[in-house]
């Protein structure tokens, strides 16, 4: 079975540019999560969706960050404009139900120069 | 409010030795507890989870963890370490009602030949 698929795996761009990260959750899962992982702050939950609806975006660091889930099989995390401090590994995860195990993608390693 | 503390950011063991990774949690309601493993350049994978059934939980790859309410602990153990166990391990807590999972800072396990 296909797991959570994220693209791109690596992204290098200059500060000020728009960055879009993509995620395809496991088919049938009704929850989708976006996380950011850095050495300094560890794993942080940015936002999560239930049935394509954003439930809690309190972890989104600034207005420069936005996330959408237009349908059950696709979500994006956008940073505009990007800054060097946004450099991190961004993970998407999905789960079935409130108490389901979260399945993580392999992440997008983002470097902002 | 929930929280989780992993004692020791790095643990080093010899191949064949006991692995013990420590996790203490805080939760105002009965918790769900998880251990995840992260290999280099990959997302997190579930090792095991406690959901108020048996207090001793067996997971994949020979790992197990014991829920001790009196000590608010959920330590991860494996009797005999393999080189392939070298990875980062995350303890996480949720609660019986919600699904917002809080992750610990992680413990990196090194296995010496």
């Amino acid at each position: 079975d296909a797991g959570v698929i994220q693209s791109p795996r690596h992204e290098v761009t200059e500060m000020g540019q728009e960055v879009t990260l993509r995620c395809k959750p496991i088919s049938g899962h009704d929850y989708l999560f976006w996380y950011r992982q850095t050495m300094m702050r560890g794993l942080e939950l940015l936002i999560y969706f239930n049935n394509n609806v954003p439930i809690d975006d309190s972890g989104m660091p600034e207005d420069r960050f936005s996330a959408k889930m237009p349908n059950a099989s696709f979500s994006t995390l956008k940073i505009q404009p990007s800054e060097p401090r946004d450099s991190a590994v961004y993970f998407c995860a999905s789960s079935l139900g409130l108490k389901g195990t979260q399945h993580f993608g392999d992440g997008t390693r983002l470097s902002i120069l | 409010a929930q929280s989780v503390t992993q004692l020791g950011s790095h643990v080093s063991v010899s191949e064949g030795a006991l692995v013990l990774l420590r996790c203490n949690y805080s939760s105002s309601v009965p918790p769900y507890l998880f251990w995840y493993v992260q290999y280099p350049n990959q997302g997190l994978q579930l090792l095991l989870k406690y959901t108020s059934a048996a207090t001793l939980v067996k997971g994949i790859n020979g790992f197990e963890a014991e829920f001790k309410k009196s000590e608010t602990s959920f330590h991860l153990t494996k009797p005999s370490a393999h080189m392939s166990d070298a990875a980062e391990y995350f303890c996480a807590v949720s609660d019986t009602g919600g699904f917002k999972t809080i992750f610990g800072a992680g413990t990196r396990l090194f296995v010496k030949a």
Side-chain angles (χ1 to χ4, degrees), chain A residues 1-111:
Chain A
D1 291 340
V4 175
I5 299 173
Q6 292 186 247
S7 64
R9 288 298 311 277
H10 303 272
E11 175 86 15
V12 181
T13 191
E14 294 186 346
M15 66 176 295
Q17 297 298 307
E18 178 178 290
V19 173
T20 299
L21 311 181
R22 296 172 176 81
C23 174
K24 177 179 170 57
I26 292 173
S27 178
H29 281 190
D30 54 351
Y31 284 91
L32 183 139
F33 307 82
W34 281 101
Y35 290 90
R36 178 172 68 176
Q37 186 178 38
T38 61
M39 290 291 292
M40 292 297 294
R41 301 174 68 90
L43 194 65
E44 303 172 277
L45 176 64
L46 301 177
I47 185 172
Y48 62 81
F49 296 82
N50 175 220
N51 290 327
N52 316 336
V53 177
I55 302 300
D56 184 351
D57 65 355
S58 60
M60 297 284 263
E62 299 173 35
D63 292 344
R64 298 184 295 106
F65 286 69
S66 62
K68 294 181 179 180
M69 193 166 185
N71 57 62
S73 60
F74 184 65
S75 177
T76 59
L77 178 67
K78 188 173 294 187
I79 308 173
Q80 167 63 19
S82 58
E83 297 183 4
R85 60 194 167 121
D86 301 332
S87 298
V89 181
Y90 290 80
F91 288 103
C92 176
S94 69
S95 68
L96 178 62
L98 272 173
K99 302 167 187 174
T101 299
Q102 292 186 31
H103 297 260
F104 283 75
D106 285 339
T108 295
R109 185 172 295 275
L110 177 64
S111 296

